[in-house]
Amino acid sequence: MLDDQKSDADLMRELVAGRQSVLRTLITRWERPLFSFVYRYIQNEHTAREIIQETFVRLYTKKERYNPEYPLSSWIFTIASNLCKNHARWLRRHPEVPLETEGDRDEEGNAKRDTIPSNLPDPSQLADRNEEIRELRKAIAGLPHDLKTAMLLHHFEGLSYKEISEVAGCSVRGVETRLYRARKLIRKRIEKTLSEDRLIQKKKPSPPVRRGLISEVLEDWAKA
Amino acid sequence: MNPDDNLEKLLRKWQPDFKPDPMLAEHVEDQIDVLENRRKSSLLASFREWFRGVTASPVYAGGLALLLVVAGIGLSEIWNGSKERSPDQLTSIYRLSVDPLYRLDASANEARLAAEAALATGLPLDESLVWLQEELELDQPQYDAFLSLHTQYQDSFNELFAELVSLKSGYQKFETDRKSDDVIDFMALYELLQKQKELRKLSEDLTRELLIKSSELMNADQKTRFLELYKGVSPSLEARSYTPINA
């Protein structure tokens, strides 16, 4: 049987038995789901890819700890979510700052020089002009770890409540509660931001229509 | 429309672009190679350094033989079957697994520290959890969640313990240098103490978090017994940081 056709549990058994080449099959199989989860959690592509790499390294170095009676998804997402949590904790303790002074910014406040990679959205994110999606991302980014993990695994990775409970280390009932709380918080944050934005748009006076320079000159000539 | 439906719709719209990383497998394998080489060389180097340090002093050299006997007995006690272990031993093993500060305090001297470090990644945690399952009468779903929760935290605890040990060695080296040079680098000392404080706090917080999450899996009676059991073996942590909620 080809490696591609083998179950995760079989591949893990072979990995434990010393057949390192099956790691590549596992990487091909799990890179996309991991990216889907980690990218949405971290919201920075470079960091997400680093975390995915580390997840596979840990999957290999801790392979003996895997229990084939459980789906690999629970175990692999447990590793990834712990790494995401550690990264978030590290970021809180080591906030990243731009390598620049006040004078290094232009009139609009944009950096003139390169900065240390930060957790801010990358250009592909900035290109995303969908306001609602942007607000959704912000709302998810602001969720506590437990709620965020449950939310992302349920909505985007399609894990069952049982599998999520194994990742999160809580009961199935606990998963339901977390999902309920996460949805509530997201809705609240999105509604608040969008309504505030609309309010600001309403209050902001529309800019005066600027006539063309040629028309102005022609009018001045006519007056003269 | 139901507000949840709106949210579901919005969630479905968020589809980040994914391009497989063609170098991922190679990077992973490179990192694994680096880690394995480093592990092999650092284990050997630490043992050599430790052995040289111990045998350099006549007092330690004399005590080394005794220590090996004691360590041998201690290790065999730990590695023997659970039937031969007392509940106190199993509770201590559990405590060593979930509290890096306790593990550090238990390492009373350098030699014990090395023995503990060697055990850091191999403590028979599963066995003490099985014992706790029986002791607290956890049903299978409760135990599965309990086990998964503890597995999640193990890497962090082991990493924290390794950092605490290295910090302790750093402090000891600082002391040795200070005594021989008669000069104190206050900035280095400050940084060392700050880092130590930060790590101790992090360690306490993590242990506390795990205990709270574990107790949340239990019913009121199990929770009380679990906390009593933990308190019995570790009044210091209880006083130090753990304030049970809903206990």
Side-chain angles (χ1 to χ4, degrees):
Chain A
M1 192 193 275
L2 292 170
D3 282 347
D4 290 352
Q5 296 162 342
K6 289 176 184 164
S7 70
D8 289 328
D10 287 340
L11 290 173
M12 285 303 292
R13 274 189 207 101
E14 290 186 23
L15 195 64
V16 172
R19 211 180 136 225
Q20 199 180 335
S21 60
V22 297
L23 183 62
R24 287 198 171 226
T25 313
L26 287 166
I27 290 175
T28 311
R29 192 176 290 179
W30 283 96
E31 185 186 1
R32 180 186 283 272
L34 278 176
F35 182 85
S36 166
F37 170 73
V38 177
Y39 176 78
R40 284 185 175 100
Y41 189 113
I42 299 289
Q43 302 195 18
N44 177 292
E45 186 174 346
H46 178 74
T47 312
R49 291 199 184 271
E50 281 183 348
I51 289 179
I52 291 165
Q53 186 179 319
E54 184 61 27
T55 304
F56 285 117
V57 171
R58 294 208 180 185
L59 175 135
Y60 179 81
T61 53
K62 316 276 179 200
K63 55 188 179 297
E64 285 86 4
R65 289 196 194 173
Y66 171 64
N67 181 353
E69 285 173 22
Y70 291 86
L72 184 65
S73 55
S74 305
W75 197 56
I76 207 165
F77 282 120
T78 302
I79 299 175
S81 84
N82 284 339
L83 288 170
C84 289
K85 187 182 182 184
N86 289 349
H87 176 77
R89 189 185 286 144
W90 187 88
L91 267 187
R92 276 198 299 275
R93 284 159 58 197
H94 304 87
E96 288 162 343
V97 287
L99 278 175
E100 61 187 23
T101 60
E102 285 284 305
D104 290 331
R105 289 189 171 269
D106 63 19
E107 287 166 1
E108 289 174 345
N110 298 320
K112 288 178 186 169
R113 282 193 258 161
D114 286 344
T115 56
I116 296 174
S118 79
N119 214 31
L120 292 172
D122 56 34
S124 66
Q125 292 174 347
L126 292 172
D128 180 0
R129 299 197 179 279
N130 187 322
E131 190 188 9
E132 282 181 332
I133 300 279
R134 214 162 47 227
E135 292 312 323
L136 171 72
R137 280 211 308 233
K138 274 193 214 162
I140 288 183
L143 288 177
H145 169 79
D146 290 346
L147 304 192
K148 199 191 296 185
T149 304
M151 186 76 189
L152 296 179
L153 291 177
H154 176 68
H155 283 276
F156 298 108
E157 308 315 317
L159 261 65
S160 66
Y161 283 8
K162 177 85 176 66
E163 285 170 316
I164 299 173
S165 73
E166 282 153 13
V167 174
C170 66
S171 61
V172 169
R173 190 68 197 273
V175 174
E176 288 170 0
T177 313
R178 284 172 191 198
L179 286 172
Y180 171 77
R181 284 170 56 204
R183 282 193 201 107
K184 198 172 158 190
L185 273 176
I186 291 173
R187 274 203 308 270
K188 199 172 155 192
R189 284 180 192 176
I190 292 178
E191 279 161 16
K192 185 170 178 276
T193 322
L194 290 180
S195 60
E196 275 174 5
D197 282 356
R198 279 180 201 126
L199 214 62
I200 292 166
Q201 295 267 335
K202 268 187 200 167
K203 279 184 186 168
K204 205 196 259 178
S206 53
V209 179
R210 174 129 173 87
R211 288 175 303 150
L213 187 62
I214 296 175
S215 332
E216 279 178 21
V217 174
L218 286 174
E219 273 179 33
D220 287 347
W221 280 0
K223 277 178 200 166
Chain B
M1 193 185 267
N2 183 331
D4 270 350
D5 292 341
N6 282 332
L7 185 58
E8 294 283 340
K9 224 164 104 182
L10 190 56
L11 286 165
R12 273 198 296 272
K13 277 193 207 167
W14 185 21
Q15 294 299 336
D17 286 338
F18 167 72
K19 288 188 194 87
D21 177 357
M23 300 300 288
L24 178 61
E26 276 175 48
H27 287 154
V28 170
E29 285 165 358
D30 288 349
Q31 207 180 323
I32 289 170
D33 287 345
V34 169
L35 281 177
E36 292 199 334
N37 289 336
R38 195 186 298 161
R39 190 178 57 86
K40 280 176 200 160
S41 59
S42 73
L43 270 179
L44 195 64
S46 342
F47 178 74
R48 277 187 190 146
E49 195 181 323
W50 170 75
F51 191 77
R52 204 177 296 131
V54 169
T55 50
S57 151
V59 180
Y60 283 127
L64 182 62
L66 177 65
L67 173 81
L68 289 172
V69 174
V70 173
I73 293 168
L75 288 178
S76 67
E77 270 183 18
I78 284 178
W79 291 113
N80 275 341
S82 63
K83 283 173 194 165
E84 291 167 31
R85 277 177 216 153
S86 67
D88 280 351
Q89 278 176 317
L90 285 161
T91 318
S92 291
I93 291 172
Y94 177 69
R95 177 78 200 277
L96 284 168
S97 314
V98 300
D99 186 352
L101 287 179
Y102 175 74
R103 222 188 286 183
L104 190 74
D105 293 343
S107 315
N109 59 44
E110 203 176 339
R112 275 293 302 280
L113 205 67
E116 287 293 338
L119 277 175
T121 53
L123 280 170
L125 170 67
D126 292 359
E127 203 179 302
S128 63
L129 292 187
V130 169
W131 172 73
L132 274 174
Q133 180 190 15
E134 288 165 12
E135 198 66 17
L136 301 172
E137 294 165 284
L138 301 175
D139 61 27
Q140 198 54 42
Q142 275 180 316
Y143 176 69
D144 289 343
F146 192 61
L147 178 63
S148 148
L149 190 61
H150 282 74
T151 310
Q152 273 180 46
Y153 278 78
Q154 275 316 289
D155 286 346
S156 304
F157 285 140
N158 288 335
E159 280 163 20
L160 260 175
F161 177 66
E163 278 192 64
L164 284 165
V165 169
S166 111
L167 216 58
K168 189 165 179 172
S169 310
Y171 187 76
Q172 281 164 348
K173 187 177 176 308
F174 182 87
E175 276 296 280
T176 316
D177 292 350
R178 183 183 65 81
K179 281 175 193 161
S180 60
D181 301 346
D182 217 17
V183 177
I184 303 173
D185 181 350
F186 283 105
M187 190 51 86
L189 179 64
Y190 174 77
E191 281 175 6
L192 206 64
L193 293 176
Q194 280 299 109
K195 180 95 193 290
Q196 197 173 36
K197 197 172 151 192
E198 198 178 298
L199 278 179
R200 291 186 81 89
K201 167 90 174 56
L202 187 62
S203 175
E204 283 182 357
D205 288 351
L206 261 189
T207 303
R208 186 165 179 269
E209 188 179 285
L210 174 64
L211 292 183
I212 290 172
K213 282 187 177 177
S214 300
S215 65
E216 279 170 356
L217 299 169
M218 301 168 189
N219 63 33
D221 176 47
Q222 291 168 330
K223 197 182 288 185
T224 312
R225 276 190 280 157
F226 175 61
L227 296 175
E228 281 303 316
L229 204 70
Y230 198 87
K231 254 189 332 191
V233 73
S234 60
S236 61
L237 180 85
E238 212 260 340
R240 205 166 62 209
S241 65
Y242 184 47
T243 319
I245 50 168
N246 305 326

